[in-house]
Amino acid sequence: MDTQRRSLMLGALSTLTLGLPTVGWTQDSQALLDTFIQFSAELCGRPPEALDRGMAQRILHALEDQGKLSRLQALYQNVKNDTPLADELRAAWFSGSIQTSDGAVLVGFVHALAWGSASFLHAPGSCGGPTGYWSEAPQTPST
């Protein structure tokens, strides 16, 4: 991650930890959300447009409720600062749920990254293709 982007992320997260959560989602918090999505995309090895904004907001709120925003700021500075939190974020993005003090909370089942890990996967209850699409074997990428 380049230095300028890291500085932007740190500035946005610093702004959040100074009080934006108590004010509610404002234009500045939308910039924070963009920063969080960019960071999460790099952390998960996916393009930012592959991550759902609503899911990102729910993950951020769960982290805020657990008092983990300062740990998130340290993670922005260096991913090696908090490997358990980095793993927790990856798990949330791929599974669509996050652990809280009340147990697992669903933050985005249909938008979980696990469904995009293979071309033939899709969330139960969502359409995988036209009628009968499952009758043919999935195409394998040529190497």
Side-chain angles (χ1 to χ4, degrees), residues 17-42:
T17 58
L18 291 175
L20 276 178
T22 59
V23 176
W25 287 94
T26 65
Q27 187 174 3
D28 289 338
S29 59
Q30 291 304 315
L32 168 70
L33 188 61
D34 292 339
T35 300
F36 179 69
I37 289 171
Q38 180 66 41
F39 177 75
S40 294
E42 292 175 16

Side-chain angles (χ1 to χ4, degrees), residues 21 24-25 55-67 69:
W25 287 94
M55 187 172 168
Q57 190 169 10
R58 289 185 292 277
I59 292 170
L60 268 176
H61 280 296
L63 294 173
E64 176 188 354
D65 290 345
Q66 296 175 55
L69 292 182

Side-chain angles (χ1 to χ4, degrees), residues 42-56:
E42 292 175 16
L43 192 64
C44 295
R46 298 290 194 269
E49 48 283 349
L51 305 181
D52 181 68
R53 292 184 68 79
M55 187 172 168

Side-chain angles (χ1 to χ4, degrees), residues 118-129:
S119 62
F120 56 87
L121 292 176
H122 59 88
S126 64
C127 186

